[in-house]
Each structure stands twice: as C-alpha cells, then as structure tokens.
Amino acid sequence: MGVEVHDPRWLTAVPGAELVVGLDEAGECAANGHRATVLIDLVPDTVPLLRGMAAEAVGAGARKVRVRPYGVDRVDLVYAAVELNRVAEDDAIEVQFDVTSAALLRADPAAFVRVDPLVVKADGTVVPICAGLERYALGAMGPSIDELVSAWDPEPVRDLCRVALTRALADTGPLVSWYEHLTRTAAQMRTSC
C-alpha cells in the first residue's frame, strides 16, 4: 500500500513513503536532500498560473509535480491537462494530475473502490486516499503505521468510494476530479447523518 507523508519528519517512520509538500516548501526540502513531490492546488484563480507554478516547482528541485483540482470547471480541467503535458515534455519531470476520465470510471469502477494511498498529514494524522477524509482517519502516527492499518476497518472508506463513484458517473464531463468527488461526498455524508 502506498503512503505519502506531508512532513519530512515522518519519512523515518514510513520508509519508502513519498514526501508531498507545498510549493513554498520545495526549496527547503531539496536543500535538505529530500526528493519531494510538489502539490499544487488548482482552483479557478490559479488555472492561468499553472505553468509558471509548475516551472517554479521544477526550479526549486521538485522530483515530481502533482496537481489537485478543486472547483475547476470542465474546460479548465482540459486546459490544465494540456498545460501539464507540456510541462512534462518541456521540463522532463514527472507530472501527476489528480483527475481521471469518465470513460475509465465506467470501464473499471472497481479500481476506484480502494483505500490507498494512506496519507500522513503534517500533524501525524493518517487518513486514507487524500486530505479531506479525516472522518475516516486511522489514527495518529505512533511507533508503526502497520499497527494502525491492522486495527483499522477500511470498509467505510470503500462504501464512501462506491457512493462517490455513483455520483462521479453522473458527471458528464470527459475528465473527473476523483479526489474532489470523494471529499465532497464525504462532507455531504457527514452533514446528512
């Protein structure tokens, strides 16, 4: 199971984890010898700035650029996908765009009913899949992430994924922001209880 950490101090507790940081932390992480993925939140105001932000991440020493959209319309998602393809080609860096195609959701829905990666937030809270799912947290980092995983029931997260999948399939756009669907569905399920 993949694990991402959002603070370098958790790297020793979770060997092999991916370090994911904000753009403002990339230079310091690189200077300290950490290979970091820079996470860029793509919101409507940052769409035209995306290429410059990605170039800044590369310049700061990022090993990978990851873009997570929130509240971005379908046209901007397609624009961002094209821009990120250019970034990957021009800057020779790995790019992860946190979207999927509606066609893939329909073709392989079981691939989206999963509980990984695990995310270790900066404060040590471990949540499944992405930030925003704190209601489904495994707990706080202790001596071993394996202990948290063995004591955790992942079925509520799979149930969340099934509900989010149904809602995402109703989305008629070519690209779907899967993590956004998950976090929005989790928030709606919390308020409807």
Side-chain angles (χ1 to χ4, degrees):
M1 180 175 296
V3 179
E4 66 182 53
V5 297
H6 289 252
D7 188 305
R9 69 185 163 152
W10 300 117
L11 287 172
T12 55
V14 189
E18 178 181 14
L19 175 60
V20 180
V21 299
L23 186 55
D24 57 332
E25 302 166 286
E28 181 182 346
C29 286
N32 289 330
H34 300 297
R35 293 178 33 105
T37 296
V38 170
L39 178 62
I40 298 171
D41 285 328
L42 183 68
V43 296
D45 291 345
T46 60
V47 170
L49 307 173
L50 180 58
R51 186 156 177 75
M53 294 169 77
E56 185 179 341
V58 170
R63 70 162 195 92
K64 178 177 165 183
V65 173
R66 178 176 167 195
V67 177
R68 176 178 57 189
Y70 285 107
V72 178
D73 67 26
R74 292 178 177 104
V75 173
D76 284 340
L77 284 178
V78 172
Y79 170 81
V82 170
E83 283 300 299
L84 291 172
N85 186 53
R86 288 183 181 141
V87 166
E89 289 177 359
D90 294 349
D91 297 326
I93 189 167
E94 183 180 350
V95 173
Q96 177 181 330
F97 190 28
D98 286 347
V99 298
T100 189
S101 71
L104 186 57
L105 285 174
R106 286 181 185 84
D108 191 9
F112 295 89
V113 180
R114 52 190 299 159
V115 298
D116 64 318
L118 295 180
V119 178
V120 181
K121 296 174 52 174
D123 68 359
T125 303
V126 180
V127 297
I129 307 172
C130 63
L133 299 182
E134 285 74 12
R135 172 182 175 197
Y136 301 92
L138 284 73
M141 277 297 292
S144 166
I145 196 166
D146 295 331
E147 291 174 15
L148 286 175
V149 171
S150 67
W152 176 60
D153 178 12
E155 199 54 38
V157 177
R158 290 188 185 105
D159 291 341
L160 166 68
C161 291
R162 289 180 192 99
V163 172
L165 180 63
T166 300
R167 292 177 181 183
L169 287 172
D171 192 342
T172 58
L175 297 176
V176 176
S177 177
W178 176 239
Y179 291 164
E180 184 178 10
H181 271 283
L182 280 174
T183 57
R184 193 175 9 180
T185 301
Q188 290 169 347
M189 289 173 68
R190 183 175 44 248
T191 59
S192 66
C193 292

